[in-house]
Amino acid sequence: GENVEQHPSTLSVQEGDSAVIKCTYSDSASNYFPWYKQELGKRPQLIIDIRSNVGEKKDQRIAVTLNKTAKHFSLHITETQPEDSAVYFCAASIILRRNAGNMLTFGGGTRLMVKP
Amino acid sequence: SQTIHQWPATLVQPVGSPLSLECTVEGTSNPNLYWYRQAAGRGLQLLFYSVGIGQISSEVPQNLSASRPQDRQFILSSKKLLLSDSGFYLCAWSPYPGLQKSTEAFFGQGTRLTVV
């Protein structure tokens, strides 16, 4: 099955700096890569996702890049703010698979701390 | 619009007692349903997923079980809880793969289970 590794496990940055979180996956058939943000005590929520037919996607201060050959993808947050502090999870999945669970395999999470 | 309800929000149970967590989804049909567990400070571990009524796949062998008695109802159970069962349990749903529009997983608010 799929295995997703995520690094670093903790990341501390100064407000205004950039933060980068990296993930690798093992199943070359995976073609959907979402990122979730989980604030303390709350449910994970999708912040951005990318499909295998594109190499980069951007949404305001957040961007995700995908390298299918190397099987890794990254989350980039620019101009970080204290409210960006949370745990971030990457995940990998295979979509368009009939009668399957399409379950997400998550990375171990990164605790991002943005210092004001 | 679709909503997901999960209860209870918190639960304290003695070792050896039974467990029943319930999750229901509204506003969609034939969703894929999932149970995840998040140990303190760790990632999301997929426990069970279901693609239809009565269809349950287990990802991790343990003393937990899951059932799907109705299309939009997913139940996590245990006959005898262990201390190691403590954690944050999250129910999630994603659209049926045949829709081919989104494979985003939507999470319930979670149940914080403490086994004492």
Side-chain angles (χ1 to χ4, degrees), chain B residues 3-16:
Chain B
T3 57
I4 179 170
H5 302 279
Q6 182 183 343
W7 67 93
T10 60
L11 191 59
V12 180
Q13 291 284 94
V15 169

Side-chain angles (χ1 to χ4, degrees), chain B residues 40-100:
Chain B
R42 302 186 68 178
L44 292 158
Q45 179 187 39
L46 178 65
L47 301 176
F48 302 95
Y49 71 94
S50 171
V51 299
I53 296 174
Q55 300 179 61
I56 309 294
S57 296
S58 174
E59 290 294 301
V60 181
Q62 60 227 320
N63 69 320
L64 299 171
S65 62
S67 62
R68 186 170 176 173
Q70 300 179 39
D71 181 44
R72 290 169 288 177
Q73 184 184 29
F74 206 23
I75 298 172
L76 182 69
S77 305
S78 174
K79 292 182 179 178
K80 288 184 178 181
L81 283 170
L82 306 172
L83 286 174
S84 57
D85 290 326
S86 294
F88 191 49
Y89 289 81
L90 288 155
C91 179
W93 75 275
S94 65
Y96 177 64
L99 292 176
Q100 298 182 15

Side-chain angles (χ1 to χ4, degrees), chain A residues 32 36 38 41-46 49 51 89 93 95-109 111, chain B residues 4 32 34 36 38 41-44 46 49 51 59 88 90 94 96-98 100-105 107-109 112:
Chain A
Y32 174 69
Y36 286 80
Q38 185 179 27
K42 296 186 177 180
R43 73 183 93 182
Q45 292 193 307
L46 181 74
D49 56 14
R51 299 199 174 190
F89 292 98
S93 178
I95 62 171
L96 307 183
R97 188 173 65 180
R98 295 187 182 280
N99 300 320
N102 276 4
M103 61 278 197
L104 296 170
T105 301
F106 284 90
R111 184 173 299 279
Chain B
I4 179 170
N32 291 332
Y34 315 86
Y36 286 90
Q38 185 176 30
R42 302 186 68 178
L44 292 158
L46 178 65
Y49 71 94
V51 299
E59 290 294 301
F88 191 49
L90 288 155
S94 65
Y96 177 64
Q100 298 182 15
K101 290 182 180 180
S102 169
T103 191
E104 175 184 352
F107 287 86
Q109 292 196 343
R112 189 161 301 283

Side-chain angles (χ1 to χ4, degrees), chain A residues 2-11 19-27 30 32-37 47-50 55 63-76 87-93 104-111, chain B residues 43-44:
Chain A
E2 176 66 275
N3 182 47
V4 179
E5 300 283 341
Q6 183 172 347
H7 300 280
S9 57
T10 59
L11 179 59
V20 180
I21 302 171
K22 299 181 179 181
C23 289
T24 60
Y25 61 99
S26 61
D27 191 343
S30 290
Y32 174 69
F33 307 93
W35 286 88
Y36 286 80
K37 176 183 179 181
I47 54 172
I48 194 169
D49 56 14
I50 190 168
V64 58
T65 59
L66 171 65
N67 183 327
K68 283 210 70 179
T69 303
K71 288 191 282 189
H72 67 69
F73 55 111
S74 301
L75 178 72
H76 304 252
V87 178
Y88 291 81
F89 292 98
C90 64
S93 178
L104 296 170
T105 301
F106 284 90
T110 297
R111 184 173 299 279
Chain B
L44 292 158

